Amino acid sequence: MRSPTPMLIIDWRKCIGCRTCELACAMAKGSPEKLGRPRIAIHRPEDASIPMTCLQCLEAACVKICPVGALSRHPDTGAVVLDENRCIHCQSCVAACPFGHISWAEETRTPLKCDLCGGQPACAKFCPTGALTYK
Amino acid sequence: MQLVIDGIPCTAQSGETILQVARRNHIDIPTLCHHDALEGVGACRLCVVAVRAHAEAVDAQVVASCMYAVKDGLQVDTATPEVRRLRQTVLDLLAARCPDAPEIQALRERMGGDAVDYAPATDGSKCIMCYRCVRACEAIGCNAIAAVNRGPQKEVAPPFFDATQRCIGCGTCAAICPTGHIAVTETPQYREIWSQRFAMAQCAGCGAPFMTEATREHLAGLGKLKPDYFTHCAACRQRDAAARFVRVGT
């Protein structure tokens, strides 16, 4: 089943490991004074570079495990998004993601995951080689 | 259905609470015990509002907006003198109960009025009896803590203040507590909460502690995901997944 909404496509063969996506994400998720924590990370298994971020799974483990329905699919962007007002900070989603794409911010006691920047992902916008595209 | 809150006409669905409708319409009602994901219990009484059955009705009734289901034609006032006075009393009493809780002081400053200073409690407790911890524990499916005793002696605790198998040491109660009342001690080997010690589960990849053993058993036991989901910490899972993706793609 293909998602009817645009998708963030990761073509790791085009990734040169410049980590611009991490910086763009940190800026998008931060404030003018302070960078946020990036929701994307470049990994370097063997000799490759691969950007790793939430795949917005259609049958998402994080959505399944959340005991209070705080994670749900956004109807417009197709992203699995967190309703921070519903989150009870149990970290089940952090434990459940099979790809480790949800991290934990101890300062705010909230899980951090990619929300596709509300439909305009900063990582794809700034990726210089087209390894990350949103279409 | 239609109702009026502070003179603003609002549309609502049957089963919604006054608080839900007010917040959707950007009308501010202060709360302490309310949480979007947890069932309302009306514990803090800070969200009280005055309601009248219809526009011509004279008699107003004061209700907790977090629990009061809306009715067609309801007239709601969120800041009558009586409502303000009741909220002030609630806050004054909470300030005396928990002199060290900054949330209470901040709310008192925000709401203004003539605060009455009751003799502050000296037991150092920061619990405001909002039951967020109790309700979150219930939502997780553990029901390990509840209110015990009555009156000034009332407090939240596990049964008989003792170690209980229902508690998995997940720490959600402490994380959701708005005043930081619930103490958690953590070392790489164990986590201590509610005077009970829980062994930490070590990540099969890097060896770092990432949740308690009991939490891992609980999550695996839910049957929603395979048990082997819960063997590695998030960082190791991401690293392993990256290696897997690259191998698949070459």
Side-chain angles (χ1 to χ4, degrees):
Chain A
M1 189 176 139
R2 198 188 147 85
S3 165
T5 49
M7 284 192 288
L8 182 73
I9 295 164
I10 303 169
D11 185 353
W12 62 266
R13 286 180 198 78
K14 292 184 184 164
C15 176
I16 54 171
C18 66
R19 302 179 71 184
T20 303
C21 53
E22 291 182 13
L23 184 61
C25 186
M27 291 178 83
K29 296 298 173 197
S31 64
E33 292 79 34
K34 195 170 181 286
L35 289 176
R37 285 252 304 267
R39 275 69 158 166
I40 189 165
I42 298 292
H43 282 254
R44 298 176 184 281
E46 292 151 39
D47 288 330
S49 310
I50 175 165
M52 294 291 281
T53 190
C54 177
L55 304 175
Q56 321 294 349
C57 308
L58 285 177
E59 271 199 51
C62 55
V63 174
K64 270 191 199 168
I65 203 95
C66 178
V68 292
L71 287 158
S72 60
R73 191 169 303 280
H74 193 283
D76 301 329
T77 63
V80 173
V81 289
L82 174 76
D83 180 346
E84 288 192 16
N85 291 328
R86 286 191 75 84
C87 178
I88 60 167
H89 322 290
C90 68
Q91 303 193 46
S92 299
C93 54
V94 180
C97 176
F99 310 111
H101 289 328
I102 303 184
S103 55
W104 180 250
E106 191 55 47
E107 326 81 70
T108 50
R109 298 178 298 189
T110 43
L112 301 178
K113 80 173 289 299
C114 166
D115 60 359
L116 295 175
C117 295
Q120 291 178 314
C123 53
K125 193 171 162 189
F126 287 95
C127 176
T129 62
L132 292 161
T133 49
Y134 184 66
K135 57 190 179 191
Chain B
M1 65 178 79
Q2 292 288 324
L3 64 153
V4 176
I5 307 178
D6 290 349
I8 301 164
C10 303
T11 309
Q13 305 287 318
S14 170
E16 282 189 299
T17 64
I18 295 174
L19 181 65
Q20 279 175 315
V21 180
R23 293 232 162 132
R24 191 169 60 238
N25 287 281
H26 311 290
I27 298 163
D28 181 43
I29 297 176
T31 56
L32 275 171
C33 71
H34 173 77
H35 190 282
D36 277 1
L38 307 173
E39 203 180 331
V41 286
C44 74
R45 314 312 284 185
L46 206 62
C47 70
V48 286
V49 294
V51 296
R52 288 175 296 131
H54 51 86
E56 282 77 40
V58 181
D59 290 340
Q61 187 190 357
V62 173
V63 299
S65 64
C66 69
M67 298 182 72
Y68 196 90
V70 292
K71 291 172 190 156
D72 197 31
L74 202 65
Q75 307 287 310
V76 182
D77 288 301
T78 69
T80 64
E82 174 160 40
V83 163
R84 283 173 188 277
R85 185 182 61 78
L86 285 167
R87 282 186 196 149
Q88 192 72 57
T89 305
V90 165
L91 273 182
D92 292 345
L93 288 167
L94 279 172
R97 181 73 194 84
C98 312
D100 301 328
E103 292 77 4
I104 306 292
Q105 301 302 344
L107 264 174
R108 261 179 135 195
E109 275 168 33
R110 202 183 102 196
M111 287 172 47
D114 299 319
V116 179
D117 286 315
Y118 297 98
T122 51
D123 60 3
S125 168
K126 283 195 265 183
C127 179
I128 56 169
M129 290 290 154
C130 67
Y131 301 117
R132 279 194 188 194
C133 53
V134 175
R135 288 177 285 156
C137 191
E138 186 186 356
I140 285 169
C142 293
N143 288 298
I145 46 174
V148 290
N149 292 331
R150 293 289 174 273
Q153 278 77 43
K154 183 148 82 176
E155 61 182 303
V156 171
F160 309 107
F161 301 94
D162 210 351
T164 169
Q165 290 204 326
R166 301 228 44 126
C167 182
I168 56 173
C170 67
T172 303
C173 50
I176 205 167
C177 174
T179 61
H181 171 72
I182 301 166
V184 188
T185 315
E186 202 152 324
T187 75
Q189 286 76 40
Y190 64 85
R191 178 184 294 162
E192 207 168 282
I193 187 164
W194 298 112
S195 310
Q196 192 169 352
R197 193 172 277 198
F198 294 89
M200 297 301 287
Q202 263 80 39
C203 168
C206 66
F210 68 115
M211 61 171 104
T212 66
E213 287 282 5
T215 305
R216 174 151 82 182
E217 275 170 39
H218 170 81
L219 290 173
L222 291 173
K224 291 178 179 171
L225 302 166
K226 291 180 193 156
D228 62 5
Y229 267 59
F230 307 108
T231 52
H232 290 70
C233 71
C236 282
R237 266 175 285 144
Q238 192 170 62
R239 188 201 58 215
D240 295 350
R244 223 158 51 231
F245 289 163
V246 167
R247 248 177 275 133
V248 169
T250 42

